[in-house]
Amino acid sequence: MVMVCYYNHLLTPVGGVRFSITKPSVLRAETNNPMASDLSSDRNVFRGVSSSSPIRRRDLVFVVNPRGANGRTGKEWKKLLPYLQSRLGSDCNICESLTSGPSHAIDITREAIREGADAVIAVGGDGTLHEVVNGFFWDGKPVANWNTEAVHSTALGLIPLGTGSDFARTLGWKNDPREAIDRIARGVRSRIDVGVISREGEGSHYFINVADIHLSAKAGFYASRFKKFGNLCYVIGALQAFIGHHNQDLRIKVNEGEWQTLSQVTALCVGNAKYFGGGMKITPNADPQSGSFEVVILQDFKWYDFILKLHKLYNGTHLPLNNVTSRNVYTIEVDEISGSGNIFIQSDGEHLGFLPRKLSILPGAIEMIC
């Protein structure tokens, strides 16, 4: 049967998923998502526990983008369910929430946290993880459990599926969903940092991996149109981004200091983690538990520099190059000088718009199942 989240009242449906709780010990999920019946009709993995049970079962919400990786995520998730049942079914109440479109995972995560879920697990790639991370925040603040007497907080979890996860690479995890389920079964938590991006007059945006500016962000914007080609989309996006590209002078303010001018910037990358773009180790010294970003700046790169130095960018040995600089920062503001209004910025592969922006670290902002 399909689980529905049980709580003390019925919540307004969020997209295709409805959360409600009548017994704190039972977690179920109702969905009107047209793909849900295909994924859920033949299983019996979700079961509750009576309120008299002496041991509290963990409530886990799995956020799945069934259309991710050209539908591969949904297919792999369905194959994974028997193992999920065998490892977690006896100790946990499991809620499957299938996303139906952009930002749906954000809404699902916020509702799950407010209703007291023990963990929200992103199932898929970095795009789903990015949305789930943003769901941990609302109006510039962490989302809180409606039950102010709750003794546990909601943790973040990850099961890499589809094309895999750059963030998982930073943690040294294999692209092995069964190994990820074993981690969730153990339930060991560790605090990780989150980056926040702000702009005057706009809401905050959060990232867990890498935020980048100018050429790489423009390449990511174009690459998003070719995701059906897998990691090849990054190559296609880079080729398109190079057409008409010009390095630009930018100005930055680091750690609330004075403004500095950077000449002929090709790309500026702010890493909370090490990898982006399908395995490029762009900020090789970044650590999501360090309390700071690593900022790597590429200056005056020509198209042939990327061809000649691409291997160094992928294996993380590019920092000694003459036109590459690196520094650790807590905050960085970035603005353009030309006033063109067309310097791209993205975070975790999601297009955010254009400069100016301020990026700040939030140390230990989220507990993650590691």
Side-chain angles (χ1 to χ4, degrees), residues 53-75:
S53 174
I55 301 175
R56 191 183 75 85
R57 294 163 63 91
R58 288 192 293 158
D59 293 339
L60 307 180
V61 178
F62 291 81
V63 182
V64 187
N65 175 12
R67 297 174 180 82
N70 297 317
R72 212 167 86 211
T73 298
K75 294 175 182 177

Side-chain angles (χ1 to χ4, degrees), residues 10-331:
L10 185 65
L11 297 179
T12 303
V14 182
V17 176
R18 173 180 295 173
F19 293 102
S20 64
I21 290 210
T22 56
K23 297 179 182 178
S25 59
V26 181
L27 187 66
R28 302 169 52 207
E30 273 177 337
T31 178
N32 298 319
N33 190 317
M35 298 195 67
S37 59
D38 178 59
L39 290 174
S40 309
S41 59
D42 61 347
R43 56 191 159 87
N44 191 30
V45 300
F46 302 125
R47 55 179 187 257
V49 63
S50 69
S51 58
S52 61
S53 174
I55 301 175
R56 191 183 75 85
R57 294 163 63 91
R58 288 192 293 158
D59 293 339
L60 307 180
V61 178
F62 291 81
V63 182
V64 187
N65 175 12
R67 297 174 180 82
N70 297 317
R72 212 167 86 211
T73 298
K75 294 175 182 177
E76 291 184 13
W77 169 245
K78 185 176 180 179
K79 294 176 183 177
L80 192 61
L81 286 172
Y83 187 73
L84 185 100
Q85 177 186 10
S86 68
R87 290 294 281 120
L88 302 175
S90 61
D91 301 315
C92 303
N93 301 313
I94 302 168
C95 172
E96 173 203 63
S97 293
L98 306 180
T99 63
S100 58
S103 300
H104 193 185
I106 297 175
D107 295 330
I108 292 170
T109 301
R110 286 174 180 159
E111 294 305 319
I113 295 171
R114 287 166 180 155
E115 297 295 351
D118 290 80
V120 180
I121 294 100
V123 180
D126 290 305
T128 302
L129 177 63
H130 176 77
E131 286 200 2
V132 169
V133 167
N134 273 269
F136 273 76
F137 302 90
W138 169 259
D139 196 26
K141 299 176 182 178
V143 176
N145 188 333
W146 275 331
N147 179 5
T148 57
E149 297 180 358
V151 295
H152 70 276
S153 61
T154 303
L156 170 68
L158 173 63
I159 298 179
L161 282 184
T163 55
S165 169
D166 277 327
F167 187 73
R169 288 186 179 95
T170 290
L171 299 179
W173 296 351
K174 299 175 184 177
N175 191 26
D176 183 345
R178 292 194 173 206
E179 186 178 282
I181 290 174
D182 292 341
R183 278 194 298 271
I184 294 165
R186 291 191 296 270
V188 178
R189 297 182 175 201
S190 183
R191 289 211 162 266
I192 59 168
D193 307 335
V194 172
V196 57
I197 302 173
S198 58
R199 180 176 182 171
E200 188 174 351
E202 296 184 9
S204 298
H205 195 90
Y206 301 86
F207 68 100
I208 196 171
N209 209 42
V210 177
D212 52 303
I213 292 166
H214 203 21
L215 179 64
S216 56
K218 184 161 58 172
F221 174 75
Y222 289 127
S224 65
R225 302 176 180 180
F226 300 97
K227 286 192 174 180
K228 64 181 179 181
F229 296 110
N231 283 344
L232 184 61
C233 71
Y234 299 112
V235 177
I236 299 172
L239 292 174
Q240 279 202 307
F242 267 118
I243 299 174
H245 169 76
H246 299 285
N247 296 326
Q248 295 280 353
D249 293 344
L250 301 179
R251 62 179 193 142
I252 63 171
K253 181 191 288 188
V254 173
N255 298 337
E256 309 296 344
E258 300 296 322
W259 285 101
Q260 310 166 37
T261 298
L262 300 175
S263 63
Q264 295 299 292
V265 174
T266 307
L268 186 152
C269 302
V270 181
N272 183 50
K274 301 179 188 297
Y275 297 88
F276 78 159
M280 184 180 291
K281 200 173 184 180
I282 190 66
T283 46
N285 298 316
D287 179 352
Q289 293 182 305
S290 67
S292 64
F293 295 127
E294 181 181 26
V295 174
V296 171
I297 304 168
L298 312 183
Q299 293 175 266
D300 200 25
F301 265 56
K302 307 296 191 295
W303 66 267
Y304 51 81
D305 287 314
F306 280 95
I307 295 175
L308 296 174
K309 300 167 184 175
L310 188 63
H311 66 289
K312 291 183 177 290
L313 293 169
Y314 265 96
N315 62 29
T317 59
H318 54 289
L319 297 187
L321 297 175
N322 290 332
N323 49 352
V324 177
T325 57
S326 171
R327 65 180 81 182
N328 291 329
V329 310
Y330 306 105
T331 68

